Amino acid sequence: MGTDQLSGPARVAGPGEAISFEELALAARNHALPLEALRYDVTPVGLHYLLIHYDIPELDPDSFRLVIGGRVRQPVRLDLAGLRARPRVTHRVTLECAGNGRALLEPRPVSQPWLTEAVGTAEWTGTPLAPLLREAGIVDGAVEVVFTGADHGIERGAEQDYQRSLPLADALAEAVLLAYEMNGAPLPPQHGAPLRLVVPGWYGMAQVKWLRAIEVVDAPFQGFQNAVAYRFRERPEEPGEPVTRMAPRALVRPPGFPDFMSRVRSMTAGACRLDGRAWSGYGPVTRVEVTTDGGASWAPARLDPADGRPWAWRRWWYDWDAAPGRHTLSARATDATGRTQPLTPPWNRGGFANNLVQRVDVIVTGPAGR
Ligand SMILES: Nc1nc2c(c(=O)[nH]1)N[C@H]1C(S)=C(S)[C@@H](COP(=O)(O)O)O[C@H]1N2
Ligand SMILES: [Mo]
């Protein structure tokens, strides 16, 4: 590792520079959703994507305490039994890493090299955060809430606990949860056991795992993950806008079967129901379009009903009459705010929110006699 990587701005790969051993090491620790798992409404725990900046901390659920303090009238200390005794709700929520799509950028920001599948949907069970904050009594002048994880490490020279803040209004949103269960079982170690924050609609970095402390503050938080890391910058010296909600994205569940190395799909000609999932952190997905000719033409897909689950992806499907030959499939989501997916990648130094449409290459072979 060059010393330039130990402090200062994140690095951008040189022209044609291959993925490094360090990026491989990150990718081996932090896996994506296998795309065939798009078949599940709720992602089985081991198939949900993972992103862990440092190490998974070792926490004893029996001695675990969450502290809520800072600009509140009555600081709170709660153990897991206390949290579980509070009102219990379950939300189905799609999480996506803000770096999803990073490795497809040119030049490539050097970090966890995600392609398109850093996503998953789980049933998160816990207690809503807002009533707890209100009971603690937020003092006038409070502007943000800082969430601290129990994990610790060094990032670009800065030693730190993993910490992220939310603006007060976002922290008080009704859907924000202190979650102690995932898909009906206690949180597994890799997803934040025993307690994590779930902020529906926001990219993954806001979903603080191994949550141990909540602090209400009266000035914008200047911690690394808010002020330095997760910002949209084209040049290192810009302050940049903060990364917040998930941009819309649709994924195609690849049809047929894959080639081991290239992942190019093979399938036989004829009727084929394509499907996949689509989501946005800004509002419900209202339209998905599909192309089977690499973007030359687009056709509307059908959407499953939203089912009163505003924070979960929606299934889409499209009936394709697959003719022999080589095809490139893509799907493009548009949400209720009119946001959609670009056909050229939106570049920034962190490689955040690259919701460029996915491309799935398929070789269709003709059945005998067709
Ligand atoms: N304490 C802590 N929380 C964290 C992280 C972390 O490294 N430490 N990673 C964040 C990032 S960048 C993402 S994308 C999500 C990933 O959540 P998952 O691993 O449960 O899918 O967790 C977030 N919460
Ligand atoms: Mo992330």
Side-chain angles (χ1 to χ4, degrees):
M1 184 195 289
T3 48
D4 58 326
Q5 258 180 282
L6 294 175
S7 61
R11 207 169 72 76
V12 171
E17 183 186 323
I19 300 259
S20 65
F21 192 87
E22 288 173 357
E23 288 165 290
L24 168 64
L26 279 174
R29 284 183 59 83
N30 297 304
H31 66 77
L33 175 90
L35 285 176
E36 61 274 29
L38 289 167
R39 71 170 79 104
Y40 304 108
D41 291 332
V42 173
T43 310
V45 168
L47 301 183
H48 193 284
Y49 90 99
L50 266 190
L51 198 291
I52 297 157
H53 282 231
Y54 314 130
D55 287 349
I56 298 171
E58 191 177 354
L59 295 174
D60 170 19
D62 295 328
S63 57
F64 173 84
R65 298 290 181 277
L66 171 72
V67 295
I68 304 179
R71 305 291 292 149
V72 294
R73 274 187 290 279
Q74 189 60 58
V76 177
R77 265 173 80 85
L78 274 164
D79 61 10
L80 278 179
L83 285 160
R84 285 180 169 274
R86 294 185 58 86
R88 174 187 169 94
V89 296
T90 299
H91 293 321
R92 186 177 297 182
V93 179
T94 297
L95 299 188
E96 181 186 15
C97 181
N100 200 13
R102 174 184 290 130
L104 299 171
L105 293 171
E106 183 59 48
R108 184 181 80 259
V110 176
S111 184
Q112 166 75 22
W114 294 123
L115 298 171
T116 57
E117 50 262 50
V119 65
T121 298
E123 304 256 54
W124 301 100
T125 298
T127 195
L129 173 64
L132 257 171
L133 289 177
R134 289 209 189 84
E135 287 166 37
I138 299 165
V139 171
D140 281 354
V143 293
E144 289 192 2
V145 183
V146 180
F147 300 89
T148 302
D151 50 333
H152 192 84
I154 304 175
E155 223 163 316
R156 279 183 265 153
E159 185 175 334
Q160 57 192 287
D161 294 336
Y162 187 91
Q163 286 187 302
R164 280 278 309 181
S165 75
L166 283 176
L168 186 59
D170 293 293
L172 289 173
E174 200 191 333
V176 174
L177 285 188
L178 302 180
Y180 44 74
E181 287 178 14
M182 178 184 191
N183 295 358
L187 285 188
Q190 67 274 26
H191 290 291
L195 189 71
R196 82 175 302 170
L197 185 66
V198 173
V199 188
W202 284 57
Y203 277 120
M205 75 281 150
Q207 325 282 336
V208 177
K209 301 191 274 190
W210 313 293
L211 179 65
R212 64 172 180 80
I214 299 176
E215 191 186 2
V216 179
V217 295
D218 57 12
F221 178 60
Q222 294 303 316
F224 182 89
Q225 305 299 347
N226 281 82
V228 181
Y230 288 98
R231 304 193 78 93
F232 293 107
R233 293 190 184 92
E234 298 209 345
R235 286 169 288 111
E237 61 279 9
E238 290 171 38
E241 288 297 312
V243 178
T244 59
R245 291 177 182 275
M246 298 182 293
R249 188 195 290 275
L251 288 177
V252 178
R253 182 165 69 95
F257 53 87
D259 173 72
F260 174 60
M261 281 309 297
S262 69
R263 305 298 302 174
V264 170
R265 318 296 302 182
S266 292
M267 55 179 275
T268 48
C272 169
R273 176 159 290 185
L274 297 174
D275 67 13
R277 306 277 169 174
W279 65 95
S280 166
Y282 289 94
V285 166
T286 49
R287 187 167 77 231
V288 172
E289 299 151 280
V290 172
T291 178
T292 56
D293 54 16
S297 63
W298 294 85
R302 304 283 299 276
L303 282 171
D304 273 358
D307 255 0
R309 293 194 175 97
W311 309 115
W313 57 24
R314 275 179 91 171
R315 198 182 79 96
W316 60 263
W317 48 272
Y318 174 79
D319 286 326
W320 180 35
D321 185 18
R326 191 171 175 127
H327 307 272
T328 300
L329 315 179
S330 300
R332 179 168 62 182
T334 302
D335 70 20
T337 71
R339 287 177 172 83
T340 189
Q341 296 184 245
L343 301 176
T344 53
W347 194 88
N348 57 80
R349 290 188 58 88
F352 299 126
N354 174 18
N355 63 338
L356 175 72
V357 294
Q358 169 208 24
R359 293 168 67 89
V360 177
D361 289 324
V362 182
I363 295 168
V364 178
T365 50
R370 194 183 147 107

